[in-house]
Amino acid sequence: MRVAWTADGGTWHLVFRLDPEDGVTGHCADGAALKLATNTFRVELPRAPRDIHPDLLALTAWTVVAPWTRRRVTFDRPISPELAGAIGDGWGIEAGPTGTTGARSGGRLAISYSGGADSVAVAAMLPDAPFVHFQRVSHPRVPNRWTHYRSDVLASLAEKTGRELTVVRSDLEFTLAEPRPGYPEHHAVAAGALLMADELDLGGLAFGYELGSRWLGGARYIHRYTPDNLMWAPHGAWGRAFAAAGLHIVLPVGGVSEAVTMRLALGSELRGQLRWCLRGVGGPCGTCGKCLYKELIQAAVERRPLRTTITAGRPVARKWQQPPPYGGQEMIEYGCARVPGIEDTVFAAAARYLRATEASTAWLDRCYPPAVAEIPEPWRKQVHDFVDGEIGFMSEEEARRVETWGAR
Ligand SMILES: [Zn+2]
């Protein structure tokens, strides 16, 4: 794989070319098969930044091209031996050329802000941290059949938060043909934060990945305790690559469930700008699978019946008529145990299969302590004190629920 950046004011264009051993079908770190659509993308920064450290340019490119790279990646500027080493150790890929440029570092922590409940919860924990928001825009060479994705609505909600905000627009999701346009690696959402890291003096980037994504395997790895999570553990391949580029991955809500992030988001001053659905304009669409899942969690947190027009026969509700395992199963258990009248909803069958109770899901109301211990030192105390005051930590017995998840 060979990558080359060109800049035109604040707009950075990347062209990448496959080597003979590379293929147009590859795999994301989460295991999903990905098919390449096109070999160019751009990232529009709000202004032309001063110099960008070559490791930041290289890592931005790597978040897009990694799935399709088999043996080596050749960047257009020499990278630090630290970053080359992280790519070599993490992926078994030879990265270069390496130069004499020292490794970079920065001081501030920014939030990769989407506007969903998890990132609003992070914002509540870190009230002074600036936001960097990724906005999808169309690609000149790929038809946009996803016009119902209202990324403009999410960006305008981010503007209304009143926080220090950098909106970065990019078409990089259209490099992916299958399964659909999206981030080739989950970390590509950080493209803007990476390219602005020197300009904003960033040393860390906080993501809204919660307990399920970090420790329980998350959506696509169903039901497995994942301390060595390749994507989000500090010692995982991606954690080490970001650290090598001086932008540490920070997961302030990595130890808490989506019930906790929902509770924090609903109680936040940003509640009015909260939006987890990409489809709605005046509000969430209320009809997609994500809206249904989040409604279950919100109803559980608010201890009220489910409000939805989605019926059991609808395609988005089909999986809840089948036996487990389910993606995000811990939250389905939590919701089924707490929503009054669940037996008369689309989750009735799931509730019968799971037989969860408030007692069996109480661990999901507290924080898994190792998640705070792995936060880089400069920001650990702030997160620890927030968790201590607003959430509370799991007991040893509750922590064992995390560590035995999927063991049966
Ligand atoms: Zn929706």
Side-chain angles (χ1 to χ4, degrees):
M1 183 68 69
R2 285 159 292 153
V3 311
W5 285 102
T6 51
D8 165 15
T11 301
W12 284 75
H13 298 265
L14 188 90
V15 177
F16 55 98
R17 298 193 187 282
L18 278 58
D19 288 330
E21 69 272 13
D22 295 333
V24 295
T25 300
H27 290 88
C28 174
D30 72 5
L34 305 177
K35 195 169 167 198
L36 185 63
T38 189
N39 69 330
T40 64
F41 68 87
R42 71 184 193 281
V43 184
E44 298 172 16
L45 307 177
R47 58 188 177 273
R50 292 164 299 183
D51 288 349
I52 299 177
H53 191 287
D55 284 0
L56 297 171
L57 288 162
L59 186 55
T60 304
W62 188 238
T63 67
V64 175
V65 305
W68 301 292
T69 305
R70 299 277 158 81
R71 211 162 75 206
R72 71 170 64 89
V73 58
T74 309
F75 299 106
D76 57 346
R77 294 159 174 79
I79 61 172
S80 71
E82 287 81 359
L83 181 60
I87 294 175
D89 293 346
W91 286 266
I93 299 284
E94 190 188 315
T98 53
T100 50
T101 329
R104 79 163 285 280
S105 62
R108 301 170 80 204
L109 177 64
I111 299 171
S112 175
Y113 183 79
S114 70
D118 301 329
S119 68
V120 168
V122 172
M125 270 188 182
L126 306 169
D128 302 319
F131 291 172
V132 182
H133 177 76
F134 180 102
Q135 182 183 352
R136 173 191 288 197
V137 292
S138 293
H139 191 291
R141 286 163 56 188
V142 182
N144 182 6
R145 300 191 183 88
W146 298 79
T147 50
H148 55 285
Y149 268 41
R150 295 302 301 267
S151 58
D152 56 320
V153 173
L154 294 184
S156 71
L157 285 167
E159 304 272 5
K160 293 191 182 91
T161 60
R163 297 276 286 251
E164 180 187 338
L165 171 71
T166 303
V167 176
V168 176
R169 297 175 178 81
S170 177
D171 59 6
L172 69 82
E173 293 173 275
F174 292 95
T175 55
L176 200 49
E178 292 174 16
R180 65 188 71 80
Y183 306 124
E185 293 284 355
H186 297 274
H187 305 74
V189 70
L194 284 164
L195 296 184
M196 291 294 286
D198 282 338
E199 180 80 5
L200 299 173
D201 183 32
L202 303 183
L205 186 62
F207 294 85
Y209 288 97
E210 37 60 60
L211 181 73
S213 300
R214 166 64 187 90
W215 297 94
L216 306 181
R220 280 192 275 219
Y221 301 113
I222 293 170
H223 252 210
R224 185 160 65 82
Y225 173 55
T226 50
D228 302 324
N229 188 312
L230 201 60
M231 295 178 286
W232 306 116
H235 56 280
W238 282 105
R240 290 190 53 197
F242 271 68
L247 188 70
H248 292 267
I249 291 176
V250 182
L251 305 183
V253 295
V256 302
S257 74
E258 291 177 87
V260 174
T261 58
M262 178 67 79
R263 176 169 69 76
L264 294 174
L266 294 172
S268 151
E269 59 181 16
L270 303 184
R271 178 179 179 149
Q273 288 85 48
L274 180 60
R275 183 73 57 83
W276 46 75
C277 172
L278 276 162
R279 298 166 188 242
V281 177
C285 79
T287 58
C288 72
K290 184 134 186 225
C291 278
L292 180 60
Y293 176 77
K294 289 288 187 181
E295 166 60 15
L296 178 69
I297 298 169
Q298 185 172 353
V301 168
E302 296 181 334
R303 301 252 172 199
R304 58 161 174 81
L306 201 66
R307 294 184 199 130
T308 179
T309 56
I310 298 171
T311 53
R314 293 276 295 282
V316 294
R318 194 176 296 142
K319 63 183 161 186
W320 313 120
Q321 316 316 312
Q322 308 296 321
Y326 309 120
Q329 181 165 316
E330 75 280 9
M331 295 320 304
I332 305 302
E333 293 188 13
Y334 186 93
C336 287
R338 284 172 177 72
V339 172
I342 197 76
E343 61 278 4
D344 300 318
T345 71
V346 295
F347 293 104
R352 279 196 308 274
Y353 287 122
L354 295 170
R355 301 180 170 279
T357 64
E358 289 197 29
S360 78
T361 55
W363 58 289
L364 294 163
D365 279 325
R366 285 176 281 279
C367 179
Y368 181 55
V372 174
E374 73 177 13
I375 289 177
E377 195 277 325
W379 307 292
R380 192 181 309 136
K381 185 178 187 307
Q382 185 175 10
V383 172
H384 176 276
D385 291 352
F386 184 98
V387 169
D388 208 27
E390 306 286 329
I391 301 164
F393 287 97
M394 290 182 189
S395 65
E396 279 185 33
E397 194 184 328
E398 288 168 333
R400 262 200 302 280
R401 295 297 305 271
V402 175
E403 291 158 5
T404 56
W405 185 251
R408 262 173 304 165

